Amino acid sequence: ATITEIKAKGKLLVGTEPTFPPFEYVDENNNIVGFDIDIAQRIADKLGVKLEIVNLPFDSLIPALMQNKIDLIIAGMTITEKRAKVVDFSVPYFNANQSIVVREGEKFRPVKLEDLKGRKVAVQLGTTGDIVVSEISEIKVVRFQKFTDAFLELQNKRVDAVVLDEAVARAYVKKFPKFVVSAVIDTGEKYGIAVKKGNSELLNFVNNVISEMFKSPYDLLVEKWFEK
Ligand code: ARG
């Protein structure tokens, strides 16, 4: 939607998949909260409209955006070449890597992806974690729509590891000390907010909100006293 259309309907529809703490997750009051949700709220506030979060499976987010069912995707989504062919990404707002999570107190402590050969590994369908483990044919990949289900499988010993973004792995391990981060895989990913391909008006707006969030009080002082 154009900014005019978003203002006319009075709400910004943001798609996300909320089993990804601390970026987006369901809290004890059943609200979807997190780092990304605060960014989404900021964008909605700046547009002067209400924020409506649309909860979708991760692999349905891009199709939903392409079909105009949502205005933005904010989902800890890594900017990849393949995705950038079908949606437009904002400037990066977070750096990420993959990681391997296993059960605490067991011998199996993989330090690299190759150590997962011959093992069952849970991932979220369509994520960059799914992509990196699927490249190694000897790994038995089990794909879930929700990370909460992937961790349930790990707990129940039906898989040997979960591969997912490091910051999110740390959040799960902190909450469930029965799991441990066994390795970090340096994938050098960057998260971006996605808009419909060609929607440069909304993209510029989003980029301005992100850049503004990056500014320190010092930058703001320089801007105030020296620029323009
Ligand atoms: N960064 C990874 C990717 O883009 C995982 C994102 C998963 N996000 C989520 N909200 N479940 O593929």
Side-chain angles (χ1 to χ4, degrees):
T2 63
I3 290 182
T4 316
E5 284 163 355
I6 293 168
K7 286 186 173 164
K9 68 181 172 180
K11 59 184 179 187
L12 179 71
L13 299 177
V14 172
T16 201
E17 190 292 310
T19 65
F20 205 61
F23 295 95
E24 43 269 335
Y25 62 99
V26 180
D27 73 3
E28 31 325 309
N29 305 317
N30 242 1
N31 293 318
I32 298 176
V33 299
F35 184 91
D36 283 346
I37 309 306
D38 283 356
I39 297 179
Q41 186 63 60
R42 217 180 164 83
I43 297 168
D45 288 348
K46 296 261 170 192
L47 286 165
V49 298
K50 276 200 288 190
L51 172 64
E52 191 174 308
I53 298 293
V54 183
N55 182 343
L56 290 168
F58 187 74
D59 71 327
S60 302
L61 290 168
I62 289 182
L65 185 64
M66 294 173 77
Q67 294 158 25
N68 292 316
K69 289 182 181 145
I70 52 178
D71 300 311
L72 298 174
I73 300 170
I74 312 186
M77 183 176 274
T78 302
I79 302 170
T80 67
E81 245 175 70
K82 195 173 168 213
R83 291 171 182 166
K85 286 196 176 122
V86 291
V87 299
D88 283 338
F89 281 106
S90 70
V91 293
Y93 69 92
F94 199 88
N95 296 328
N97 286 305
Q98 293 300 302
S99 65
I100 305 172
V101 178
V102 297
R103 285 179 297 273
E104 172 66 292
E106 287 184 22
K107 276 211 201 81
F108 181 54
R109 283 292 174 103
V111 297
K112 53 187 191 309
L113 285 174
E114 286 66 33
D115 296 343
L116 298 174
K117 286 180 182 174
R119 300 280 184 161
K120 276 193 181 168
V121 178
V123 295
Q124 184 176 53
L125 178 67
T127 57
T128 47
D130 183 359
I131 295 166
V132 291
V133 298
S134 299
E135 275 165 4
I136 302 175
S137 57
E138 298 94 327
I139 299 177
K140 300 178 196 100
V141 188
V142 190
R143 299 176 180 86
F144 294 91
Q145 290 204 322
K146 297 177 179 180
F147 276 117
T148 43
D149 290 336
F151 280 105
L152 212 57
E153 288 295 282
L154 182 62
Q155 178 185 324
N156 295 335
K157 308 195 177 187
R158 283 193 287 260
V159 297
D160 305 302
V162 179
V163 170
L164 78 167
D165 302 48
E166 183 192 358
V168 180
R170 304 248 177 245
Y172 272 103
V173 165
K174 196 169 171 203
K175 191 163 176 219
F176 304 108
K178 56 180 168 267
F179 304 131
V180 60
V181 178
S182 173
V184 173
I185 319 295
D186 183 4
T187 50
E189 296 170 55
K190 288 176 192 311
Y191 295 165
I193 295 172
V195 305
K196 195 177 182 194
K197 194 136 209 72
N199 192 351
S200 52
E201 186 200 19
L202 186 57
L203 186 65
N204 287 337
F205 192 91
V206 166
N207 279 340
N208 285 335
V209 175
I210 296 173
S211 320
E212 196 185 83
M213 287 178 41
F214 278 123
K215 279 185 190 154
S216 67
Y218 180 87
D219 296 330
L220 293 169
L221 266 194
V222 173
E223 202 165 278
K224 177 177 175 191
W225 294 105
F226 294 96
E227 273 157 44
K228 291 212 182 102

mmCIF file with all atom_site columns, all heavy atoms in Angstrom, residues 30-42:
data_model
loop_
_atom_site.group_PDB
_atom_site.id
_atom_site.type_symbol
_atom_site.label_atom_id
_atom_site.label_alt_id
_atom_site.label_comp_id
_atom_site.label_asym_id
_atom_site.label_entity_id
_atom_site.label_seq_id
_atom_site.pdbx_PDB_ins_code
_atom_site.Cartn_x
_atom_site.Cartn_y
_atom_site.Cartn_z
_atom_site.occupancy
_atom_site.B_iso_or_equiv
_atom_site.pdbx_formal_charge
_atom_site.auth_seq_id
_atom_site.auth_comp_id
_atom_site.auth_asym_id
_atom_site.auth_atom_id
_atom_site.pdbx_PDB_model_num
ATOM 1   N N   . ASN A 1 30 ? -0.163 -13.039 26.469 1.00 0.00 ? 30 ASN A N   1
ATOM 2   C CA  . ASN A 1 30 ? -0.597 -13.390 25.117 1.00 0.00 ? 30 ASN A CA  1
ATOM 3   C C   . ASN A 1 30 ? -0.466 -12.248 24.106 1.00 0.00 ? 30 ASN A C   1
ATOM 4   O O   . ASN A 1 30 ? -1.154 -12.242 23.087 1.00 0.00 ? 30 ASN A O   1
ATOM 5   C CB  . ASN A 1 30 ? -2.041 -13.894 25.144 1.00 0.00 ? 30 ASN A CB  1
ATOM 6   C CG  . ASN A 1 30 ? -2.104 -15.327 24.652 1.00 0.00 ? 30 ASN A CG  1
ATOM 7   O OD1 . ASN A 1 30 ? -1.073 -15.923 24.321 1.00 0.00 ? 30 ASN A OD1 1
ATOM 8   N ND2 . ASN A 1 30 ? -3.294 -15.874 24.591 1.00 0.00 ? 30 ASN A ND2 1
ATOM 9   N N   . ASN A 1 31 ? 0.414  -11.284 24.417 1.00 0.00 ? 31 ASN A N   1
ATOM 10  C CA  . ASN A 1 31 ? 0.681  -10.213 23.461 1.00 0.00 ? 31 ASN A CA  1
ATOM 11  C C   . ASN A 1 31 ? 1.952  -10.527 22.672 1.00 0.00 ? 31 ASN A C   1
ATOM 12  O O   . ASN A 1 31 ? 2.884  -11.118 23.223 1.00 0.00 ? 31 ASN A O   1
ATOM 13  C CB  . ASN A 1 31 ? 0.882  -8.878  24.193 1.00 0.00 ? 31 ASN A CB  1
ATOM 14  C CG  . ASN A 1 31 ? -0.388 -8.404  24.852 1.00 0.00 ? 31 ASN A CG  1
ATOM 15  O OD1 . ASN A 1 31 ? -1.467 -8.500  24.270 1.00 0.00 ? 31 ASN A OD1 1
ATOM 16  N ND2 . ASN A 1 31 ? -0.277 -7.912  26.073 1.00 0.00 ? 31 ASN A ND2 1
ATOM 17  N N   . ILE A 1 32 ? 1.967  -10.135 21.408 1.00 0.00 ? 32 ILE A N   1
ATOM 18  C CA  . ILE A 1 32 ? 3.183  -10.269 20.609 1.00 0.00 ? 32 ILE A CA  1
ATOM 19  C C   . ILE A 1 32 ? 4.047  -9.043  20.889 1.00 0.00 ? 32 ILE A C   1
ATOM 20  O O   . ILE A 1 32 ? 3.610  -7.909  20.674 1.00 0.00 ? 32 ILE A O   1
ATOM 21  C CB  . ILE A 1 32 ? 2.863  -10.415 19.108 1.00 0.00 ? 32 ILE A CB  1
ATOM 22  C CG1 . ILE A 1 32 ? 2.037  -11.693 18.882 1.00 0.00 ? 32 ILE A CG1 1
ATOM 23  C CG2 . ILE A 1 32 ? 4.141  -10.445 18.277 1.00 0.00 ? 32 ILE A CG2 1
ATOM 24  C CD1 . ILE A 1 32 ? 1.581  -11.896 17.441 1.00 0.00 ? 32 ILE A CD1 1
ATOM 25  N N   . VAL A 1 33 ? 5.244  -9.280  21.429 1.00 0.00 ? 33 VAL A N   1
ATOM 26  C CA  . VAL A 1 33 ? 6.140  -8.190  21.831 1.00 0.00 ? 33 VAL A CA  1
ATOM 27  C C   . VAL A 1 33 ? 7.541  -8.484  21.318 1.00 0.00 ? 33 VAL A C   1
ATOM 28  O O   . VAL A 1 33 ? 7.817  -9.582  20.829 1.00 0.00 ? 33 VAL A O   1
ATOM 29  C CB  . VAL A 1 33 ? 6.182  -8.042  23.378 1.00 0.00 ? 33 VAL A CB  1
ATOM 30  C CG1 . VAL A 1 33 ? 4.804  -7.706  23.942 1.00 0.00 ? 33 VAL A CG1 1
ATOM 31  C CG2 . VAL A 1 33 ? 6.735  -9.317  24.042 1.00 0.00 ? 33 VAL A CG2 1
ATOM 32  N N   . GLY A 1 34 ? 8.440  -7.484  21.463 1.00 0.00 ? 34 GLY A N   1
ATOM 33  C CA  . GLY A 1 34 ? 9.843  -7.694  21.129 1.00 0.00 ? 34 GLY A CA  1
ATOM 34  C C   . GLY A 1 34 ? 10.475 -6.508  20.431 1.00 0.00 ? 34 GLY A C   1
ATOM 35  O O   . GLY A 1 34 ? 9.825  -5.499  20.166 1.00 0.00 ? 34 GLY A O   1
ATOM 36  N N   . PHE A 1 35 ? 11.756 -6.675  20.162 1.00 0.00 ? 35 PHE A N   1
ATOM 37  C CA  . PHE A 1 35 ? 12.592 -5.658  19.514 1.00 0.00 ? 35 PHE A CA  1
ATOM 38  C C   . PHE A 1 35 ? 11.962 -5.192  18.190 1.00 0.00 ? 35 PHE A C   1
ATOM 39  O O   . PHE A 1 35 ? 11.803 -3.991  17.956 1.00 0.00 ? 35 PHE A O   1
ATOM 40  C CB  . PHE A 1 35 ? 13.958 -6.315  19.265 1.00 0.00 ? 35 PHE A CB  1
ATOM 41  C CG  . PHE A 1 35 ? 15.019 -5.429  18.696 1.00 0.00 ? 35 PHE A CG  1
ATOM 42  C CD1 . PHE A 1 35 ? 15.879 -4.721  19.528 1.00 0.00 ? 35 PHE A CD1 1
ATOM 43  C CD2 . PHE A 1 35 ? 15.211 -5.333  17.315 1.00 0.00 ? 35 PHE A CD2 1
ATOM 44  C CE1 . PHE A 1 35 ? 16.891 -3.928  18.994 1.00 0.00 ? 35 PHE A CE1 1
ATOM 45  C CE2 . PHE A 1 35 ? 16.211 -4.538  16.781 1.00 0.00 ? 35 PHE A CE2 1
ATOM 46  C CZ  . PHE A 1 35 ? 17.048 -3.827  17.627 1.00 0.00 ? 35 PHE A CZ  1
ATOM 47  N N   . ASP A 1 36 ? 11.599 -6.163  17.339 1.00 0.00 ? 36 ASP A N   1
ATOM 48  C CA  . ASP A 1 36 ? 11.011 -5.811  16.040 1.00 0.00 ? 36 ASP A CA  1
ATOM 49  C C   . ASP A 1 36 ? 9.658  -5.124  16.200 1.00 0.00 ? 36 ASP A C   1
ATOM 50  O O   . ASP A 1 36 ? 9.304  -4.248  15.399 1.00 0.00 ? 36 ASP A O   1
ATOM 51  C CB  . ASP A 1 36 ? 10.798 -7.080  15.197 1.00 0.00 ? 36 ASP A CB  1
ATOM 52  C CG  . ASP A 1 36 ? 12.094 -7.607  14.589 1.00 0.00 ? 36 ASP A CG  1
ATOM 53  O OD1 . ASP A 1 36 ? 13.099 -6.877  14.585 1.00 0.00 ? 36 ASP A OD1 1
ATOM 54  O OD2 . ASP A 1 36 ? 12.079 -8.757  14.114 1.00 0.00 ? 36 ASP A OD2 1
ATOM 55  N N   . ILE A 1 37 ? 8.914  -5.549  17.199 1.00 0.00 ? 37 ILE A N   1
ATOM 56  C CA  . ILE A 1 37 ? 7.572  -4.985  17.405 1.00 0.00 ? 37 ILE A CA  1
ATOM 57  C C   . ILE A 1 37 ? 7.689  -3.516  17.820 1.00 0.00 ? 37 ILE A C   1
ATOM 58  O O   . ILE A 1 37 ? 6.885  -2.679  17.400 1.00 0.00 ? 37 ILE A O   1
ATOM 59  C CB  . ILE A 1 37 ? 6.770  -5.800  18.452 1.00 0.00 ? 37 ILE A CB  1
ATOM 60  C CG1 . ILE A 1 37 ? 6.794  -7.304  18.118 1.00 0.00 ? 37 ILE A CG1 1
ATOM 61  C CG2 . ILE A 1 37 ? 5.335  -5.286  18.583 1.00 0.00 ? 37 ILE A CG2 1
ATOM 62  C CD1 . ILE A 1 37 ? 6.333  -7.675  16.716 1.00 0.00 ? 37 ILE A CD1 1
ATOM 63  N N   . ASP A 1 38 ? 8.720  -3.215  18.626 1.00 0.00 ? 38 ASP A N   1
ATOM 64  C CA  . ASP A 1 38 ? 8.950  -1.811  18.996 1.00 0.00 ? 38 ASP A CA  1
ATOM 65  C C   . ASP A 1 38 ? 9.315  -0.972  17.764 1.00 0.00 ? 38 ASP A C   1
ATOM 66  O O   . ASP A 1 38 ? 8.887  0.177   17.647 1.00 0.00 ? 38 ASP A O   1
ATOM 67  C CB  . ASP A 1 38 ? 10.035 -1.702  20.065 1.00 0.00 ? 38 ASP A CB  1
ATOM 68  C CG  . ASP A 1 38 ? 9.511  -2.082  21.449 1.00 0.00 ? 38 ASP A CG  1
ATOM 69  O OD1 . ASP A 1 38 ? 8.305  -2.352  21.587 1.00 0.00 ? 38 ASP A OD1 1
ATOM 70  O OD2 . ASP A 1 38 ? 10.321 -2.108  22.405 1.00 0.00 ? 38 ASP A OD2 1
ATOM 71  N N   . ILE A 1 39 ? 10.093 -1.550  16.856 1.00 0.00 ? 39 ILE A N   1
ATOM 72  C CA  . ILE A 1 39 ? 10.417 -0.815  15.612 1.00 0.00 ? 39 ILE A CA  1
ATOM 73  C C   . ILE A 1 39 ? 9.131  -0.606  14.800 1.00 0.00 ? 39 ILE A C   1
ATOM 74  O O   . ILE A 1 39 ? 8.871  0.493   14.297 1.00 0.00 ? 39 ILE A O   1
ATOM 75  C CB  . ILE A 1 39 ? 11.470 -1.572  14.760 1.00 0.00 ? 39 ILE A CB  1
ATOM 76  C CG1 . ILE A 1 39 ? 12.795 -1.697  15.524 1.00 0.00 ? 39 ILE A CG1 1
ATOM 77  C CG2 . ILE A 1 39 ? 11.685 -0.854  13.421 1.00 0.00 ? 39 ILE A CG2 1
ATOM 78  C CD1 . ILE A 1 39 ? 13.880 -2.450  14.759 1.00 0.00 ? 39 ILE A CD1 1
ATOM 79  N N   . ALA A 1 40 ? 8.329  -1.655  14.709 1.00 0.00 ? 40 ALA A N   1
ATOM 80  C CA  . ALA A 1 40 ? 7.066  -1.559  13.960 1.00 0.00 ? 40 ALA A CA  1
ATOM 81  C C   . ALA A 1 40 ? 6.169  -0.477  14.557 1.00 0.00 ? 40 ALA A C   1
ATOM 82  O O   . ALA A 1 40 ? 5.554  0.313   13.826 1.00 0.00 ? 40 ALA A O   1
ATOM 83  C CB  . ALA A 1 40 ? 6.350  -2.914  13.985 1.00 0.00 ? 40 ALA A CB  1
ATOM 84  N N   . GLN A 1 41 ? 6.121  -0.440  15.891 1.00 0.00 ? 41 GLN A N   1
ATOM 85  C CA  . GLN A 1 41 ? 5.294  0.555   16.581 1.00 0.00 ? 41 GLN A CA  1
ATOM 86  C C   . GLN A 1 41 ? 5.778  1.968   16.262 1.00 0.00 ? 41 GLN A C   1
ATOM 87  O O   . GLN A 1 41 ? 4.982  2.883   16.042 1.00 0.00 ? 41 GLN A O   1
ATOM 88  C CB  . GLN A 1 41 ? 5.337  0.301   18.101 1.00 0.00 ? 41 GLN A CB  1
ATOM 89  C CG  . GLN A 1 41 ? 4.385  1.193   18.892 1.00 0.00 ? 41 GLN A CG  1
ATOM 90  C CD  . GLN A 1 41 ? 2.920  0.939   18.532 1.00 0.00 ? 41 GLN A CD  1
ATOM 91  O OE1 . GLN A 1 41 ? 2.431  -0.175  18.690 1.00 0.00 ? 41 GLN A OE1 1
ATOM 92  N NE2 . GLN A 1 41 ? 2.229  1.955   18.019 1.00 0.00 ? 41 GLN A NE2 1
ATOM 93  N N   . ARG A 1 42 ? 7.098  2.108   16.209 1.00 0.00 ? 42 ARG A N   1
ATOM 94  C CA  . ARG A 1 42 ? 7.683  3.406   15.897 1.00 0.00 ? 42 ARG A CA  1
ATOM 95  C C   . ARG A 1 42 ? 7.304  3.868   14.492 1.00 0.00 ? 42 ARG A C   1
ATOM 96  O O   . ARG A 1 42 ? 6.981  5.033   14.272 1.00 0.00 ? 42 ARG A O   1
ATOM 97  C CB  . ARG A 1 42 ? 9.210  3.253   16.002 1.00 0.00 ? 42 ARG A CB  1
ATOM 98  C CG  . ARG A 1 42 ? 9.881  4.458   16.572 1.00 0.00 ? 42 ARG A CG  1
ATOM 99  C CD  . ARG A 1 42 ? 11.376 4.239   16.635 1.00 0.00 ? 42 ARG A CD  1
ATOM 100 N NE  . ARG A 1 42 ? 11.991 5.533   16.820 1.00 0.00 ? 42 ARG A NE  1
ATOM 101 C CZ  . ARG A 1 42 ? 12.116 6.132   17.992 1.00 0.00 ? 42 ARG A CZ  1
ATOM 102 N NH1 . ARG A 1 42 ? 11.682 5.547   19.092 1.00 0.00 ? 42 ARG A NH1 1
ATOM 103 N NH2 . ARG A 1 42 ? 12.670 7.319   18.076 1.00 0.00 ? 42 ARG A NH2 1
#
